[in-house]
Amino acid sequence: RGGDGRLTVAVLGGMAQLGPAREAAHARVGRRLVALGVGRVIGVGDGGGEIVAAALAAGLDPAHAVVVGAPADAAPIIEQWTRSGDRVLLKASRYERLERVAEELFGGLASARLTVDLDAVVENLRAIRRVVGRDVGVLAVVKSFGYGLDGARIASALQAAGVSFFSVAYPDEGVALRDAGVTRPILVHNVLPLEVGKVVGRGLSAEVWSEESIMALAAEAERQQRPVRVHLKVDSGMGRAGCVPGDAPRLAASIRDSRWLRLDGLMTHFASSEDPAADDDTRAQIAVFRGALAAVTEVAGRPRWVHACNSAAIARFPEAHFDMVRAGLGLLGYVRVGGAPLEGQRPVLRLVTRVVSVRELPPGQAVGYNATWSTGDAPATVAVVALGYGDGYPWSLSNRGWMVVRGVRCPVVGRVSMDVTTLDVSAAPGVRAGDEVVVFGPGDGEPELEQLAAAAGTIPYELLTRLTSRVRRVYLGSR
C-alpha cells in the first residue's frame, strides 16, 4: 500500500493491432508498473500475461501478480485484495471487454448500489464557473459527509478541479476532510464552544455571529498561538442564524481587534431563492446584506470572501454573486428552478437494486402488511426487490412510488418493508430473480430523484442523506 494507505490494482489486457511491436509494448507497460509502484497486477489473457511477465522480471513480488483467462475471473481477486478507498485501473483494447470485470465486481458488492459519477460532479462545477465567471470563487458544500455520498471523495475530486473553498456543518466533518488530504480552506458553520480546539488545531475556518463565539475562538487561538480565519454571518431575513444587521459593525470590530482572529468572510443565507413567488423577499435580503457589507467595510475593511448565493440563487440572482458562491445540491445536478434544471447540470447519481423473487398471484390476493393493495379482479405478477426503509427508501412511497425493470415502469404495491419492496411487474414480461431494478437515475425513462422526493412528500436532500450504509457506494471517474 502507498503512503496514503490505499492500494492500487491494475487489471490489464493486451493491446491489439500492434503487430510485431506488441510484445515489446507489453514489456514496457510491465516495467512501468513497477516504476510507478503499482501494488497489484492482474493480467487478462495472453497479452495481460506478457505484461505480468515483464513486471515480474522488473522486480514485482510474485505474490502480487496473477494471470487469468477471462475478465470475469478477475472480479473475485479484486474483491479479495481491496478494501474501501483502494483504486482499481481497468485497461485493455476494446476487444478484451474489460467492462465485464466491473459488471462482475459491482454485481457482487451488494444488491442495492448507488453509483456516484465524480466526473459529472466536476462538470457541474465547471458549469457553475461558466455562470459566475472566473473572478468569482466557488465554495463546495459537503456537509452531512457530502450529503451521504462520502464527503472526502467528493471533496478530493473538486479540490483537484480547483474549487476555492469547502464548507461543512460541524468540526468533525472538517477534521475528516483534513485527514483525507483536503488542504483547501474549510468553513465550519456550527461551532460549539467545546469544539473550538478542533477548529483551531486543524486549520479550519469558523462561521461566527455572536460575541460569545468570537471570544471562545479568540481564547482558544491565543492558547494554541494559531491564527483563525472567521466568516461573520448576517441574518438578512431568514431568521435562523446570524447577527442582526445593526450588530455586524460592532462584531467586525471585535474580530479586527483580536490578535489571533482574521475577518476572512462576510456571509448571509437566502430563505427562498428557488421560489419565483418570493423574489421580492430575496431582493430585500440582498439589500439588507449590501448595507451590512458597507458598514463592516467601513469599520474593518472588506473581507476577502463575501458570499450569499446558494445553488438556486447562482442562476437567478447574478447581482448577489459577490466574491464567492456556495454550491451543494447544484454540484450533484439536482437543483430545479421553476421545474427546470439549471443550465449545464448533469445528475451524478444512479441507484439500482435487484429482483429477489417473482410470483404469480391470483385475483383478489392482498400484498404486504395491512393488505393495503390487492390484485383485484385479475391476476398479477409481483416482484420482491432488495430495497426497503432499512436502506433509506421511504415508507411513504408505499403504493405511490415506482421503479424500472427491463425498461418498464413498475409501480410499488403494498407497504414498503424494512428490507424489501414489492413491485407489480405484470407489464414487464420475463422478469426473473437477479434482474436489475432502477430506483432512480439520469437515464431516459428512469425515475428522477426529484420525482421520488415529491411522491414521498420530502426533498432530494433528505432522500440522499437517509440512504444507509447497506446501500453500497460505487464511485466512477477518471480521477
Side-chain angles (χ1 to χ4, degrees):
R1 293 184 179 274
D4 59 0
R6 297 168 67 186
L7 178 68
T8 299
V9 179
V11 185
L12 305 173
M15 294 179 282
Q17 299 176 331
L18 291 181
R22 166 181 161 145
E23 187 173 347
H26 288 165
R28 287 197 300 273
V29 172
R31 291 192 294 270
R32 185 62 174 162
L33 290 172
V34 176
L36 291 173
V38 173
R40 302 285 193 278
V41 182
I42 301 175
V44 179
D46 294 340
E50 292 173 356
I51 293 172
V52 168
L56 293 173
L60 182 68
D61 187 336
H64 296 166
V66 66
V67 178
V68 298
D73 297 332
I77 299 171
I78 297 170
E79 189 168 3
Q80 177 184 352
W81 278 350
T82 59
R83 67 189 187 199
S84 178
D86 290 343
R87 296 164 287 212
V88 179
L89 168 69
L90 306 177
K91 186 67 177 176
S93 292
R94 184 68 183 85
Y95 83 97
E96 295 278 9
R97 293 194 62 195
L98 284 195
E99 69 272 13
R100 287 179 289 178
V101 177
E103 292 169 0
E104 290 285 336
L105 182 63
F106 297 158
L109 288 175
S111 297
R113 304 185 309 280
L114 181 69
T115 300
V116 184
D117 186 341
L118 296 176
D119 284 344
V121 174
V122 171
E123 285 302 315
N124 288 334
L125 170 64
R126 290 172 180 160
I128 290 170
R129 281 176 168 160
R130 287 193 292 271
V131 172
V132 301
R134 61 187 302 174
D135 296 330
V136 176
V138 179
L139 179 151
V141 182
V142 289
K143 61 185 179 179
S144 192
F145 295 99
Y147 300 124
L149 304 177
D150 191 333
R153 286 183 183 268
I154 300 292
S156 294
L158 290 170
Q159 177 169 265
V163 77
S164 304
F165 229 103
F166 293 101
S167 76
V168 294
Y170 297 105
D172 281 348
E173 295 178 303
V175 170
L177 293 184
R178 286 284 185 251
D179 287 343
V182 174
T183 58
R184 291 293 172 95
I186 301 171
L187 176 63
V188 182
H189 294 300
N190 306 288
V191 182
L192 293 173
L194 54 83
E195 293 186 297
V196 293
K198 301 174 187 176
V199 173
V200 178
R202 299 310 296 270
L204 307 175
S205 300
E207 176 186 307
V208 297
W209 49 274
S210 68
E211 196 69 52
E212 291 76 13
S213 60
I214 292 170
M215 292 175 61
L217 276 168
E220 182 63 24
E222 174 73 28
R223 190 185 72 80
Q224 294 194 32
Q225 298 286 288
R226 296 187 63 175
V228 180
R229 298 184 183 276
V230 300
H231 289 224
L232 177 61
K233 185 169 189 177
V234 176
D235 180 9
S236 59
M238 188 170 182
R240 185 180 65 178
C243 67
V244 298
D247 285 346
R250 174 178 59 82
L251 295 173
S254 293
I255 297 168
R256 177 202 63 196
D257 294 340
S258 169
R259 179 182 177 187
W260 294 101
L261 300 188
R262 306 289 183 267
L263 182 58
D264 192 44
L266 188 74
M267 61 183 293
T268 194
H269 195 69
F270 297 140
S272 307
S273 60
E274 78 288 350
D275 183 4
D279 281 357
D280 287 346
D281 293 335
T282 302
R283 292 191 180 97
Q285 284 194 257
I286 295 171
V288 168
F289 184 60
R290 284 189 181 280
L293 173 59
V296 166
T297 300
E298 185 174 346
V299 169
R302 182 185 173 98
R304 169 64 183 89
W305 301 107
V306 177
H307 49 111
C309 284
N310 56 6
S311 293
I314 289 170
R316 305 195 66 243
F317 296 96
E319 68 271 26
H321 287 169
F322 296 106
D323 303 309
M324 185 163 66
V325 296
R326 301 189 300 268
L329 208 61
L331 289 168
L332 304 181
Y334 296 107
V335 170
R336 300 232 167 188
V337 177
L342 299 182
E343 183 177 355
Q345 271 197 142
R346 290 176 53 195
V348 308
L349 304 175
R350 191 168 190 263
L351 177 59
V352 301
T353 186
R354 300 277 181 184
V355 173
V356 175
S357 63
V358 181
R359 292 188 63 194
E360 302 291 337
L361 298 182
Q365 174 66 56
V367 172
Y369 288 111
N370 302 114
T372 60
W373 184 87
S374 70
T375 55
D377 296 333
T381 304
V382 298
V384 175
V385 303
L387 191 76
Y389 60 77
D391 303 287
Y393 190 73
W395 183 84
S396 59
L397 289 177
S398 301
N399 296 306
R400 300 181 67 182
W402 58 281
M403 305 179 193
V404 169
V405 188
R406 296 200 167 197
V408 177
R409 174 173 173 155
C410 299
V412 172
V413 293
R415 292 276 174 84
V416 174
S417 301
M418 180 180 291
D419 308 302
V420 297
T421 297
T422 306
L423 305 178
D424 181 354
V425 296
S426 302
V431 174
R432 58 187 179 184
D435 280 354
E436 184 176 84
V437 180
V438 181
V439 183
F440 63 77
D444 292 340
E446 295 178 346
E448 297 179 358
L449 178 64
E450 299 90 343
Q451 290 176 323
L452 258 64
T458 185
I459 55 178
Y461 296 93
E462 185 183 4
L463 284 191
L464 292 181
T465 57
R466 72 188 296 167
L467 292 175
T468 69
S469 59
R470 194 161 65 176
V471 177
R472 296 292 292 270
R473 277 66 165 171
V474 177
Y475 302 88
L476 304 179
S478 57
R479 294 162 181 81

